[in-house]
Amino acid sequence: MTPEFDLIARHFNRPVRQATLGVGDDCALFPWGQEQEVAVSTDTLVSGVHFFPDAEPEALGHKALAVNLSDLAAMGAAPRYVTLALTLPEVNHEWLAAFARGLHRLADRYGVELIGGDTTRGPLSMTLTVIGAVNGATTLRRDRAQEGDEIWVSGQLGGAALALAHLQGRARLAPEAFSQAASRLHKPEPRIGLGMGLLGVAHAAIDVSDGLVADLGHICERSDLAAVIDWSMLPIAPVLLDQPEALQQSCALAGGDDYELCFTAPESASGRIAALDTELGLALHRVGAMRAPREDEPRVTVRDANGGVLALPQAGFDHFSKGAD
Ligand code: ADP
Ligand code: MG
């Protein structure tokens, strides 16, 4: 277990009595009425950790809400409300107006209402809590994958991590390629329509915020299964294809910030998934399958084009691992 998850498990993961689902999934769930469940999730962005201190405020307003909505998408929940706790080093109305514009524009697209929050002085950070509604019978959860399920990934992987690699001097991109990759990093699109469309179709889902291997690993642990995926079937962001293979692999397998959905579904659902692909105009890719765990094998195995096992790049981001910034 990574240090971040270890500390949560040791100090904060308590059994729930009234909620349907507590710590350990993309959202917590509690019942609402006969059939509905409420889904709740909180995410914080900290200056210097999640974004550069000079980040463009309008994109930041978008991203702060998008990463939270992405957790609702991963449960198949319909977004309803958001609260905003903002910590600011100073009052800069121009900055605030742009930040608010980015946030409200995305909120309006999904009919989300900002209903409260908190404002304090300190190092720049923002914590949003999103609230959504979902039909309890079909909620997508990390612990619902079944042996034999096919594994799917939406959109493209690795673009956001490549932009970050460029900004950190680990990769060199031409201006056009950088702007493509950077839009994935700065303006992620929460896959709300896909999450809701997968209700009753997929068994389990997670949003890819920390890297595919780490996030699919959470589905495996919670469902007590293992996953085998094929490198050649992964939807690698086209902008990554010119890069060295090692960078392609680290960005697509261990790079965070893409906010695509990874989900598992029975083979019999493939027709409905293909229909969703067309309906949403969002490419959905079958990348592997769930199987029973084996003692001598990791939870997630990636096969190369020859059927061999790919040595995995460093696992997903953890705030308290050595080297995390
Ligand atoms: P995600 O990447 O989907 O946002 P996280 O990796 O941040 O999820 O969190 C994993 C789980 O741990 C979630 O269910 C989250 O609600 C829970 N969690 C994280 N930090 C705390 C905390 N301080 N107290 C209680 N639960 C927490
Ligand atoms: Mg998540």
Side-chain angles (χ1 to χ4, degrees):
M1 196 185 288
T2 63
E4 182 181 336
F5 290 111
D6 174 62
L7 89 80
I8 297 167
R10 278 169 65 166
H11 301 290
F12 301 116
N13 189 357
R14 312 185 90 188
V16 287
R17 291 191 302 273
Q18 301 169 80
T20 316
L21 182 63
V23 171
D25 213 308
D26 291 293
C27 293
L29 297 169
F30 58 85
W32 194 258
Q34 289 289 307
E35 284 159 19
Q36 293 269 108
E37 271 174 351
V38 176
V40 185
S41 179
T42 295
D43 263 306
T44 296
L45 299 186
V46 178
S47 176
V49 178
H50 300 95
F51 58 90
F52 291 94
D54 61 351
E56 209 271 295
E58 188 166 340
L60 198 55
H62 171 98
K63 182 164 180 171
L65 180 58
V67 303
N68 276 273
L69 292 181
S70 179
D71 281 321
L72 290 180
M75 312 297 287
R80 293 273 195 272
Y81 304 105
V82 61
T83 65
L84 169 66
L86 201 51
T87 301
L88 300 166
E90 59 181 354
V91 178
N92 174 339
H93 285 291
E94 204 182 324
W95 189 96
L96 283 164
F99 177 83
R101 201 160 51 240
L103 189 142
H104 290 313
R105 187 170 295 154
L106 183 62
D108 289 346
R109 272 177 50 209
Y110 287 106
V112 176
E113 290 180 49
L114 176 61
I115 54 165
D118 195 22
T119 305
T120 49
R121 186 195 285 265
L124 181 63
S125 80
M126 52 225 57
T127 297
L128 284 79
T129 297
V130 285
I131 298 167
V134 68
N135 180 318
T138 50
T139 309
L140 305 170
R141 295 169 44 150
R142 295 178 182 178
D143 59 3
R144 292 285 158 91
Q146 293 181 20
E147 200 176 329
D149 273 1
E150 295 180 324
I151 301 166
W152 294 77
V153 171
S154 65
Q156 299 167 356
L157 293 176
L162 180 61
L164 188 62
H166 176 92
L167 291 168
Q168 293 175 336
R170 292 181 286 112
R172 278 183 72 95
L173 297 177
E176 178 135 333
F178 174 66
S179 93
Q180 258 182 56
S183 76
R184 295 305 311 257
L185 180 65
H186 299 313
K187 293 290 270 309
E189 186 59 40
R191 301 303 189 193
I192 294 291
L194 175 59
M196 292 174 66
L198 288 172
L199 292 171
V201 176
H203 287 148
I206 190 166
D207 65 324
V208 182
S209 56
D210 294 335
L212 179 65
V213 169
D215 288 319
L216 178 56
H218 294 314
I219 291 186
C220 291
E221 275 153 32
R222 303 271 300 175
S223 300
D224 195 19
L225 290 171
V228 182
I229 53 180
D230 283 299
W231 170 254
S232 60
M233 291 163 85
L234 288 181
I236 312 296
V239 69
L240 251 182
L241 295 174
D242 297 339
Q243 300 297 322
E245 201 166 57
L247 187 65
Q248 287 185 23
Q249 290 175 0
S250 71
C251 289
L253 295 171
D257 277 335
D258 281 314
Y259 296 98
E260 294 295 350
L261 291 189
C262 171
F263 56 95
T264 85
E267 217 181 311
S268 58
S270 58
R272 289 174 74 187
I273 294 170
L276 265 178
D277 173 316
T278 312
E279 192 183 308
L280 299 169
L282 172 63
L284 304 175
H285 310 266
R286 193 169 51 79
V287 300
M290 301 299 292
R291 70 174 186 204
R294 297 179 188 164
E295 220 155 74
D296 50 340
E297 284 183 12
R299 289 279 187 186
V300 179
T301 302
V302 184
R303 282 196 306 225
D304 64 22
N306 307 316
V309 173
L310 213 74
L312 289 181
Q314 184 216 335
F317 184 79
D318 181 280
H319 281 280
F320 298 98
S321 285
K322 286 205 182 90
D325 52 359

